Amino acid sequence: MHLTESTWTDAEDAETDLALLPVGSTEQHGPHAPLGTDILTAEAVAESGAEAYDGEVVVAPAIPVGVAEEHRHFNGTLWVSEDTFRDYVRETIASLASHGWNRVIVVNGHGGNVSALREVCGQVSRRGPAYAVAFTWFDAVDAPDMGHGGPVETSLLQATDGELVHANRLDDATANGADGWGEFEHGVNLAYDVVEFSENGTVGDPRDASTERGEELLDAASNGLADLLATVRERER
Ligand SMILES: [Zn+2]
């Protein structure tokens, strides 16, 4: 059940304590992929995970702005501080729990949100009012070439929102992007902002993307999420 499309009476009738809360980011993804990539991918995985799960689950609307200051030099990128982000996620989870949906999986599409989500889900779970975990879809699938706006995200977008990927900009995305994330020396990432190591914000080669791989990734992520829903449903708390 998607809250966005349901009435409050539908919500009252929902017989589940499970909720999915998609969390994204509005940030550059190179010249070829939209600023909303991490929102669209988190929503797509949440939606297909809810479909793959054998049971009822409430799907909340996505939180669209996350921890993304490192992308600040690229126009259109939006961000909030980690404190604001954690507060917003915690209070949103608390409002889900107030309706009885107190087993919450945050479905995350953005790497910059990961550590803040781990902390806030831990806080919520230790002190109440819900048990919450964060599922970052690209950590749940085989994606060694993740990059940023690279083949993994671009493939998933091609499968779910193909009209938003600019195929004629893929050569440029690769030529003026970076091979790897960060600027490491002795294990230290010397760069704080993406512009320090990638001219156009891309990391990885999105020319390796394909719709077929995107469909496989979506399947793998949504099956993983469906399994996790079953586990979270049974977990003692
Ligand atoms: Zn992304």
Side-chain angles (χ1 to χ4, degrees), residues 61 78 108 181 186:
L78 307 178
N108 177 40
W181 182 272
H186 302 296

Side-chain angles (χ1 to χ4, degrees), residues 29 38 109 148 153:
H29 275 77
D38 296 347
H148 186 76
E153 284 178 302

Side-chain angles (χ1 to χ4, degrees), residues 25 27-29 37-39 41 71 109-111 137-138 146-149 153:
S25 178
E27 68 183 43
Q28 71 84 13
H29 275 77
T37 292
D38 296 347
I39 305 167
T41 54
H71 297 285
H110 172 49
W137 71 265
F138 47 82
M146 177 61 189
H148 186 76
E153 284 178 302

Side-chain angles (χ1 to χ4, degrees), residues 12-211:
E12 186 181 37
D13 292 341
E15 288 186 14
T16 184
D17 52 6
L18 288 169
L20 297 177
L21 174 59
V23 170
S25 178
T26 301
E27 68 183 43
Q28 71 84 13
H29 275 77
H32 60 294
L35 291 155
T37 292
D38 296 347
I39 305 167
L40 295 168
T41 54
E43 284 181 331
V45 169
E47 184 169 331
S48 67
E51 267 169 37
Y53 174 64
D54 184 23
E56 193 167 9
V57 53
V58 167
V59 182
I63 293 175
V65 178
V67 182
E69 190 172 2
E70 63 200 359
H71 297 285
R72 67 197 167 103
H73 296 91
F74 299 94
N75 295 54
T77 297
L78 307 178
W79 64 90
V80 292
S81 69
E82 290 210 14
D83 282 345
T84 299
F85 178 73
R86 279 191 299 257
D87 284 350
Y88 199 97
V89 170
R90 184 176 55 248
E91 292 179 22
T92 304
I93 291 173
S95 57
L96 288 166
S98 79
H99 304 299
W101 308 316
N102 56 13
R103 296 172 187 266
V104 179
I105 300 178
V106 177
V107 181
N108 177 40
H110 172 49
N113 293 340
V114 169
S115 63
L117 286 174
R118 176 74 194 167
E119 188 180 330
V120 72
C121 288
Q123 261 183 38
V124 164
S125 299
R126 289 180 181 120
R127 301 191 179 94
Y131 177 72
V133 285
F135 170 92
T136 297
W137 71 265
F138 47 82
D139 287 340
V141 298
D142 185 25
D145 51 344
M146 177 61 189
H148 186 76
V152 175
E153 284 178 302
T154 306
S155 291
L156 188 50
L157 276 179
Q158 282 176 340
T160 60
D161 299 271
E163 72 287 357
L164 299 179
V165 177
H166 297 268
N168 58 348
R169 299 182 192 166
L170 294 179
D171 286 338
D172 174 54
T174 306
N176 297 305
D179 295 334
W181 182 272
E183 192 186 335
F184 283 88
E185 193 171 312
H186 302 296
V188 174
N189 185 1
L190 298 169
Y192 287 106
D193 289 320
V194 173
V195 74
E196 294 169 63
F197 55 86
S198 176
E199 189 183 327
N200 67 17
T202 310
V203 176
D205 189 343
R207 293 174 305 183
D208 292 339
S210 70
T211 305

